[in-house]
Amino acid sequence: METIRLLPILHRGAEQILLQYDKSEKLNHLARGIKSVKWSQSHKGWYLPLTQESYQAIQQEFVHLAILDSTALSKYLHQRKAVQATKPAKTPIIKCGAEKLPVKPELNNTTAIRKQPPLPQPEVAFKLALPNLEALQKMMDQLTLKAYSDSTKRTYRGEMLVFLQLLGRHAAETLTTDDVKRYLLKCIGEGLSENTVHSRINALKFFYEQVLGRDKFFVEIPRPKKQQQLPKVFNQDDIANIINSCKNLKHKTMLMLSYSGGLRVSEVVSLKTMAIDSKRMTIFLERAKGKKDRIVPLSPVLLVMLREYWNQYKPAVKGYLFPGQMPNQPYSTRSLQLVLQAAKQKAGILRPGSIHTLRHSFATHLLEKGTDVTMIMKLLGHNDLKTTLRYLHVTNRDILQIVSPLDSLDLK
């Protein structure tokens, strides 16, 4: 009896099952009869979408006529399950039912594969050696237990993937402090920014000290000095032009909200309708960055705009104030950034800046109006006053009082 090997492949941007067997007109004839089967010239074989239905169709067509070797397919599904287990909770997870497969699949194994969306490209984690894939999963579990944010989880996972991929088959657990130093020197030598190197150090420090329990593993590893960059700000005329150029009521309201309270882009899109308190004239920001609640003042001008927005869009009372395409999902942060860029372009403003620049502008303009820096610190939700004091270097309140020595020259 002939053998057909079922191989997982990524073809035309989707996961497929490739039928691989020795040249046989009989098997070719049977393969052509399978629904949805197609021929791949590059792989020199017939293939179907990687679904439960496809596998069952293959079984029915070749029952008692050929041996189905699903070893590679089962191994792939096990590996995919392990990879998906390392992803943060909010990352879409593809369920494939691989948990039903034995660790060492046998021939003619009934593989449980459910329908799933295709993957656009191979996941880097698939290339990791098994010990390093397990190490990555341990780190993600520890991040979850310590209740780290999904944003931090994604950042740490991305940095660890770069590190673990470079290790190849060398287990991360066996590395010494000197090994990690050499890796970081390589990163700096490749021209990575100080912020990126700091991010990688944070991820590695968490892995070796929090996951593996290596006490003070990073004491001997110095951190590169960060550039002292001043916050970028818009002047008030720029902001007025940006807001006025935005004709969509929803978009305009979101931009006004960001500037009026110094909100981060994530805080704008995740704001709930019930957070607006028109009687107390406050906005309640729940579980913002650092999982901290805070209150910012509600601008009377913004309140008028919010009421107009409410009458036109009717957001759910207990839902998001600015829902996305689905009512139960928030507006996309990326979409809001694009809204700002489009408004800037329409207003003819070439100065670079994002939604976060509106937050910087909010703090700087308050300083220029004489607001106490500790109050601005509370409004922004900063932990350290040093972070807020950066805006003192941006404000022109004192600079305008300085007379340049050039002005006292007797020039002709």
Side-chain angles (χ1 to χ4, degrees):
M1 187 176 291
E2 298 182 79
T3 299
I4 300 176
R5 293 169 294 281
L6 304 182
L7 306 179
I9 61 170
L10 190 71
H11 187 61
R12 298 187 179 276
E15 291 175 306
Q16 316 283 358
I17 302 176
L18 177 70
L19 279 63
Q20 189 181 76
Y21 48 83
D22 295 334
K23 188 174 181 181
S24 169
E25 287 299 326
K26 177 183 177 182
L27 294 182
N28 275 337
H29 176 74
L30 292 171
R32 290 190 188 95
I34 302 175
K35 185 180 179 181
S36 301
V37 74
K38 294 181 181 179
W39 175 263
S40 169
Q41 188 62 34
S42 57
H43 291 280
K44 304 297 182 185
W46 299 99
Y47 69 93
L48 297 89
L50 201 159
T51 64
Q52 175 69 36
E53 289 78 5
S54 294
Y55 186 83
Q56 290 176 344
I58 294 170
Q59 280 189 317
Q60 291 173 3
E61 190 68 32
F62 295 103
V63 64
H64 305 313
L65 299 174
I67 296 174
L68 298 182
D69 182 354
S70 59
T71 304
L73 184 61
S74 298
K75 181 180 178 181
Y76 171 79
L77 291 173
H78 277 294
Q79 189 175 21
R80 186 174 66 177
K81 179 187 175 184
V83 169
Q84 295 293 353
T86 69
K87 295 186 177 182
K90 289 188 178 180
T91 303
I93 294 179
I94 302 171
K95 296 181 179 179
C96 61
E99 65 277 2
K100 296 181 180 179
L101 294 172
V103 177
K104 295 182 179 179
E106 303 294 335
L107 297 183
N108 291 324
N109 167 57
T110 302
T111 312
I113 310 165
R114 300 173 192 163
K115 281 187 175 180
Q116 78 242 292
L119 294 180
Q121 61 183 10
E123 166 66 61
V124 174
F126 274 89
K127 302 177 183 178
L128 299 182
L130 184 58
N132 288 334
L133 182 57
E134 292 174 348
L136 180 63
Q137 186 169 351
K138 287 180 183 177
M139 188 185 80
M140 299 307 297
D141 290 343
Q142 187 73 353
L143 286 167
T144 300
L145 288 172
K146 287 183 171 289
Y148 276 61
S149 69
D150 288 322
S151 176
T152 302
K153 289 179 185 178
R154 284 190 290 270
T155 300
Y156 280 22
R157 182 178 187 270
E159 300 296 2
M160 280 298 292
L161 279 175
V162 175
F163 175 64
L164 295 175
Q165 187 179 16
L166 184 65
L167 293 182
R169 296 198 172 278
H170 295 283
E173 297 186 13
T174 64
L175 266 61
T176 64
T177 304
D178 288 337
D179 294 328
V180 176
K181 274 185 181 179
R182 284 194 292 271
Y183 167 70
L184 294 174
L185 284 171
K186 178 179 181 299
C187 293
I188 296 172
E190 291 175 349
L192 297 181
S193 68
E194 290 85 354
N195 286 336
T196 301
V197 175
H198 271 263
S199 180
R200 293 202 176 167
I201 290 176
N202 290 339
L204 292 171
K205 180 178 173 65
F206 182 88
F207 173 71
Y208 282 102
E209 295 185 357
Q210 300 294 322
V211 179
L212 300 185
R214 304 274 184 86
D215 187 35
K216 299 180 180 179
F217 187 79
F218 271 72
V219 169
E220 299 178 6
I221 299 180
R223 288 176 178 265
K225 187 175 181 180
K226 287 186 177 181
Q227 290 183 347
Q228 299 299 317
Q229 293 182 318
L230 294 178
K232 295 181 176 64
V233 299
F234 296 122
N235 60 52
Q236 289 193 292
D237 288 338
D238 284 344
I239 293 176
N241 291 333
I242 288 171
I243 293 174
N244 289 332
S245 68
C246 194
K247 302 306 179 184
N248 182 288
L249 179 59
K250 183 176 182 178
H251 297 164
K252 187 173 186 177
T253 306
M254 296 172 83
L255 294 180
M256 290 177 66
L257 173 63
S258 177
Y259 174 65
S260 71
L263 273 63
R264 301 177 178 90
V265 63
S266 59
E267 295 168 349
V268 174
V269 300
S270 62
L271 192 68
K272 299 296 181 66
T273 305
M274 296 182 69
I276 308 296
D277 190 339
S278 59
K279 291 184 178 179
R280 296 182 61 208
M281 294 300 290
T282 59
I283 301 173
F284 179 67
L285 302 176
E286 184 179 9
R287 292 174 65 83
K289 186 177 181 180
K291 297 188 177 180
K292 296 178 297 182
D293 296 344
R294 77 177 192 275
I295 294 176
V296 297
L298 172 59
S299 158
V301 174
L302 177 63
L303 179 59
V304 173
M305 184 63 66
L306 283 170
R307 283 173 173 163
E308 186 178 346
Y309 166 75
W310 169 271
N311 291 330
Q312 181 172 329
Y313 284 85
K314 299 291 190 301
V317 176
K318 294 185 179 181
Y320 290 105
L321 180 59
F322 304 108
Q325 293 181 343
M326 302 296 291
N328 61 339
Q329 295 293 328
Y331 197 82
S332 164
T333 56
R334 174 62 177 160
S335 296
L336 183 54
Q337 295 285 15
L338 292 175
V339 165
L340 175 64
Q341 299 308 318
K344 280 175 50 186
Q345 185 176 12
K346 192 173 182 180
I349 296 173
L350 303 179
R351 193 189 311 274
S354 62
I355 295 294
H356 212 72
T357 308
L358 295 179
R359 174 176 163 88
H360 292 325
S361 303
F362 162 82
T364 303
H365 296 163
L366 284 181
L367 270 176
E368 291 174 349
K369 293 179 183 298
T371 307
D372 184 75
V373 69
T374 56
M375 180 56 67
I376 297 175
M377 172 185 170
K378 292 179 180 179
L379 293 175
L380 294 177
H382 288 162
N383 284 328
D384 192 341
L385 184 60
K386 291 181 181 179
T387 307
T388 315
L389 289 175
R390 293 182 306 159
Y391 297 106
L392 289 174
H393 299 286
V394 184
T395 177
N396 64 356
R397 182 181 59 182
D398 299 324
I399 292 177
L400 292 177
Q401 299 177 11
I402 299 174
V403 178
S404 170
L406 177 68
D407 298 337
S408 61
L409 297 180
D410 185 16
L411 299 176
K412 297 180 180 180

